[in-house]
């Protein structure tokens, strides 16, 4: 199945049409690529050796106003190293990114997305557990709260 078609089918199954911004799929597809991570790395002088990259799409339903408002964010995390060496599987540092809510109206002139990045030293050797933890945090802590009903956490690229 074509990954783009799979994403649009996924969105159609998860978020009612009247609650989806018409550019939502395009906004997600832009971020589930290596581009944001490489741009961050080159901007900060980090070697382009990003290991074990993981992506997450989080969907939460905010019901606090009495109206269903769907929040959709893309997250990404990866290891990186200060000194590139052969056969490195992890790294001394990890970086993660989370997008702003992609399911919102923006001023017509704004064609970019706000991204928050965080980098930190780590001794972890696999990104899978960290990616899972971050996806749950982005989805309202992974549990229903008075403000957010956790809808779905999807890992991996489509």
């Amino acid at each position: 199945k074509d990954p783009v078609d799979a994403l649009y089918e996924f969105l159609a199954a998860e978020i009612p049409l009247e609650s989806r911004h018409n550019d939502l799929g395009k906004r997600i597809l832009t971020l589930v690529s290596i581009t944001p991570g490489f741009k961050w790395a080159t901007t900060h002088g980090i070697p382009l050796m990003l290991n074990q990259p993981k992506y997450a799409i989080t969907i939460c339903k905010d019901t606090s106003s009495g109206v269903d408002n769907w929040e959709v964010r893309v997250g990404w995390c990866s290891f990186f190293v200060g000194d590139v060496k052969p056969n490195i599987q992890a790294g001394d540092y990890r970086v993660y990114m989370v997008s702003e809510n992609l399911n919102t109206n923006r001023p017509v002139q704004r064609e970019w997305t706000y991204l928050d990045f965080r980098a930190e030293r780590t001794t972890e050797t696999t990104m899978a557990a960290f990616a899972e933890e971050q996806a749950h945090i982005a989805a309202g802590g992974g549990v229903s709260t008075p403000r957010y009903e956790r809808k779905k956490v999807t890992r991996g690229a489509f």
Side-chain angles (χ1 to χ4, degrees), residues 106-112:
R106 298 178 179 168
V108 175
Q109 68 275 16
R110 183 159 79 91
E111 295 182 4
W112 63 89

Side-chain angles (χ1 to χ4, degrees), residues 29-42 48 50 55 76 97 115 117:
L29 287 170
T30 301
L31 296 177
V32 290
S33 71
I34 196 63
T35 303
F38 268 42
K39 186 170 183 172
W40 175 85
T42 57
L48 294 179
L50 302 172
Y55 299 88
W76 168 83
M97 170 209 83
L115 304 172
F117 286 86

